[in-house]
Amino acid sequence: MTTHFDHPAAPDQVVLDVAGLTTEFTTRAGVFRAVDDLSLAVGRGECLGIVGESGSGKSVAVLSVMGLVNYPGRVTAGSIWFEGRDLRGLSEPDLRMLRGAQMSIIFQDPQTSLNPLFTIGKQMTDVVHAHRKCGKDEARALAIEKLTQVGVSSPEQRLRAYPWELSGGLRQRVAIAMALLLDPRLVIADEPTTALDVSIQSQIIDLLMELKDRLQFAMIFVSHDLGVIANVSDRMLVMYAGRAVETGDTLDVLARPTHPYTSALIASAPTLESDPARPLQSIEGSLPEPGSLSAGCIFAPRCSYVMEHCREAPPELIPRGPAPGRQTACFYPLNSGASGDIANE
């Protein structure tokens, strides 16, 4: 059954609306469903954080939205509406013209996303020429403007540099500048700070948030780090084994998690109050192997609160609690105040 992301914003403010997204990979061992019936939405000027363990399907989900899943993967079900256009109904040339101009993506590692054989200037002006009819000087001026906007010093000089001549932080700033070149309405950041040291991570996050607030584009920020998600996102979506298990206002979800997986993620993350003498709490077990999902709740094999009913049928993502947009896929949610909650038993 297709779930729907309950977004509190007015419909005309929703930039991206995804419902029932399913992405599968065909392998020799069979069909592996990397994203399963996923729904999400993000509004203008809003940041939606997607969090989960490595292998939970976060990156495949956003690549599916962008139409960048390569063979043997393919989107097999669901709808992807962007600014009133059905992306699944577009031809590849039309989708290619949309990418980079109205929607863009910042990849995890700029060392691999930027081509080492071409200068920064060549790569940036090629993006401009692919979408706009303009001269070399105009494209170069736009590239300089965007490099300046993201805090790159001596932008004219950087245009003549190759990616391998720049530091990791500078490369990521260049990648952000390329993503913002044509003033997109949606920017997807796929773990953009993972390959950077802590001090540079903070600078990049502050930069992205400042640009989002100033330019009012919608953003999806993918991370496995709850601390980063807490700092950048207005709303968050927790993924496990390709499915959404909890959504809602970020501060509300972190303060009152209703899904056992979300609660376990929070408990396993270090904080300033953590006792260094005590080991961090871990989540027992591991993500299910491809093709080995059980008939019931996908988290049941690792859940501390599992009951027999949990193993029989998968729970739907439905509203939980009074907060708008708060949804949980759990038969016995924590902290929701419902009569059947585990927390009250």
Side-chain angles (χ1 to χ4, degrees), residues 78-200:
S79 62
I80 306 171
W81 287 88
F82 171 73
E83 295 276 280
R85 302 179 70 180
D86 180 7
L87 298 190
R88 292 201 65 200
L90 295 182
S91 65
E92 181 56 34
D94 287 342
L95 187 57
R96 191 180 301 119
M97 291 305 296
L98 195 68
R99 288 195 299 258
Q102 297 184 47
M103 55 193 300
S104 59
I105 186 167
I106 305 166
F107 292 102
Q108 181 177 137
D109 186 2
Q111 189 166 348
T112 56
S113 63
L114 296 174
N115 194 321
L117 301 179
F118 297 100
T119 64
I120 299 302
K122 170 66 173 172
Q123 296 182 63
M124 294 188 73
T125 55
D126 277 355
V127 173
V128 179
H129 289 308
H131 295 277
R132 291 184 183 174
K133 293 181 179 180
C134 63
K136 290 183 179 179
D137 291 343
E138 184 179 346
R140 189 172 185 276
L142 182 57
I144 291 173
E145 175 190 336
K146 291 303 178 182
L147 288 176
T148 303
Q149 191 176 65
V150 300
V152 173
S153 60
S154 305
E156 297 90 347
Q157 179 182 341
R158 303 301 182 189
L159 288 180
R160 297 191 295 270
Y162 289 88
W164 44 268
E165 296 180 295
L166 306 180
S167 66
L170 267 179
R171 282 195 297 265
Q172 194 60 289
R173 286 178 186 269
V174 169
I176 294 171
M178 289 183 67
L180 300 180
L181 258 177
L182 301 175
D183 299 321
R185 308 297 298 275
L186 171 68
V187 175
I188 296 174
D190 186 11
E191 303 204 42
T193 60
T194 300
L196 306 175
D197 63 53
V198 175
S199 60
I200 303 300

Side-chain angles (χ1 to χ4, degrees), residues 230-292:
N231 285 323
V232 304
S233 67
D234 303 295
R235 302 177 57 74
M236 65 183 289
L237 181 151
V238 183
M239 285 189 70
Y240 182 79
R243 300 181 189 175
V245 296
E246 185 162 5
T247 70
D249 175 85
T250 297
L251 296 182
D252 187 40
V253 170
L254 294 177
R256 299 186 310 111
T258 54
H259 196 282
Y261 178 60
T262 309
S263 179
L265 281 179
I266 295 170
S268 65
T271 67
L272 293 175
E273 289 76 33
S274 298
D275 184 352
R278 298 181 60 184
L280 290 172
Q281 180 177 322
S282 62
I283 306 176
E284 297 296 328
S286 59
L287 284 163
E289 292 293 326
S292 64

Side-chain angles (χ1 to χ4, degrees), residues 257-260 297 303 305-312 315 320 328-336 338-345:
T258 54
H259 196 282
C297 174
C303 184
Y305 306 101
V306 64
M307 296 188 181
E308 190 58 35
H309 181 56
C310 303
R311 305 182 191 278
E312 297 172 353
R320 296 288 186 181
T328 306
C330 183
F331 291 120
Y332 306 99
L334 309 166
N335 300 315
S336 69
S339 58
D341 293 351
I342 296 171
N344 296 331
E345 292 184 352

